[in-house]
Amino acid sequence: MKVIQVDDYNDLGKKAAEIIIQYIKGHANAVLGLATGSTPKTTYKELIRDHNENGTSYRHIRTVNLDEYVGLDQNDPNSYHYFMKKEFFDFVDIPENNIHIPNGMAENIYDECKDYDRLIEGLGGVDLQLLGIGRNGHIGFNEPGTSFDTMTHIVDLTMDTRKANARFFNGLDEVPTQAITMGIKNILMSKSILLLASGRQKAEAMAHLLNEKEVTSAFPASALHHHQNVTVIADKEALSLVYSLERRA
Ligand code: PGA
């Protein structure tokens, strides 16, 4: 696991975007695994800036998102479909058909999970997976206790996660109780992984991941120690409780 420390949230976006752009330059039809949440926002902003200034094209890029709430329509401002449009897709030249996000409104959400796995397989797998990390170590919506063998599945969201996300809704009651998420196995099947973390509120999670290095389903992100190509990009505050780092700019 390579760790890159950056100064702050803006620099996190710049560094992550630099790595993604570099990858796209060499792989014009790459499959990108994308994430939502606060953390990747500066990354998307930098990708859009680069697209406008340097013309990096997403014409042949395919994307698969990690997760979506169950029961939210694509046009609901809190859905991850909506987030991705407003934070990224509306501003680059990616064709709509190349965009894939689990459908939280599917008639049969269990079939939707199986279909999503088939879809990812049909695309040839994810080349570069972007990840955030929850304060409890979740990746995607894979909460503590999730087996590392899971593929795309339905999860009951923990109260901690619902509280963390309540800031986007009119109160906790409105936060969905379930989500569809790619599983830890899907994530580990990606060819490369970029894990991003920013801010003091992620310091304990980063310390858990980087100090203890223990692999346990109680801390889902620890599964990443089993992957050969993981780059962590985190800012100083997120790394403030990590004892020793091979810091690389
Ligand atoms: P955040 O969420 O980027 O909004 O902090 C990350 C996550 O919970 O995976």
Side-chain angles (χ1 to χ4, degrees):
M1 195 174 279
K2 174 180 166 186
V3 181
I4 299 174
Q5 179 177 277
V6 294
D7 281 343
D8 56 26
Y9 182 42
N10 282 330
D11 282 352
L12 178 76
K14 285 187 190 141
K15 190 71 203 173
E18 185 187 308
I19 291 173
I20 295 167
I21 293 161
Q22 194 62 36
Y23 191 82
I24 290 175
K25 282 197 199 310
H27 307 82
N29 62 353
V31 177
L32 300 181
L34 298 180
T36 54
S38 305
T39 311
K41 281 189 176 184
T42 50
T43 304
Y44 294 136
K45 200 170 118 222
E46 284 299 321
L47 291 177
I48 293 165
R49 193 184 57 75
D50 162 76
H51 171 71
N52 291 334
E53 289 177 9
N54 307 318
T56 303
S57 177
Y58 294 79
R59 197 89 216 115
H60 302 290
I61 295 293
R62 284 83 45 81
T63 66
V64 290
N65 262 79
L66 278 170
D67 45 19
E68 178 58 286
Y69 288 115
V70 168
L72 290 194
D73 184 81
Q74 298 189 4
N75 296 316
D76 186 307
N78 281 313
S79 75
Y80 289 164
H81 278 80
Y82 190 89
F83 175 101
M84 288 307 301
K85 272 171 72 71
K86 297 300 168 199
E87 296 294 330
F88 186 49
F89 294 142
D90 276 357
F91 304 97
V92 294
D93 60 344
I94 187 162
E96 209 169 320
N97 285 344
N98 291 11
I99 295 170
H100 308 285
I101 305 177
N103 178 9
M105 294 293 280
E107 210 165 295
N108 185 326
I109 50 176
Y110 298 94
D111 284 349
E112 172 67 13
C113 295
K114 286 190 212 115
D115 290 347
Y116 205 66
D117 286 338
R118 271 186 226 114
L119 173 105
I120 296 170
E121 196 185 343
L123 292 171
V126 173
D127 292 309
L128 176 61
Q129 177 68 56
L130 199 58
L131 285 182
I133 181 169
R135 292 177 307 192
N136 61 6
H138 73 209
I139 45 177
F141 269 132
N142 293 284
E143 301 283 22
T146 308
S147 153
F148 291 171
D149 281 338
T150 48
M151 297 293 279
T152 304
H153 62 290
I154 305 295
V155 288
D156 294 325
L157 301 176
T158 62
M159 191 49 89
D160 189 46
T161 296
R162 292 183 65 230
K163 279 186 186 155
N165 291 0
R167 65 191 193 275
F168 302 112
F169 294 80
N170 299 315
L172 185 60
D173 286 354
E174 280 191 19
V175 184
T177 55
Q178 289 188 310
I180 299 182
T181 184
M182 274 165 58
I184 294 178
K185 190 164 178 187
N186 296 97
I187 292 171
L188 293 178
M189 284 162 74
S190 316
K191 294 176 192 91
S192 59
I193 295 173
L194 262 189
L195 176 83
L196 311 183
S198 170
R200 177 63 185 80
Q201 72 277 15
K202 298 296 169 70
E204 280 81 11
M206 295 311 285
H208 202 126
L209 180 69
L210 298 171
N211 291 341
E212 300 184 20
K213 299 200 170 85
E214 181 201 7
V215 177
T216 162
S217 66
F219 190 76
S222 67
L224 301 175
H225 289 299
H226 282 321
H227 195 284
Q228 298 307 308
N229 192 354
V230 178
T231 302
V232 175
I233 311 177
D235 61 19
K236 283 185 176 154
E237 285 191 0
L239 292 174
S240 57
L241 299 178
V242 175
Y243 307 135
S244 74
L245 274 180
E246 215 186 316
R247 293 187 165 90
R248 302 183 216 188

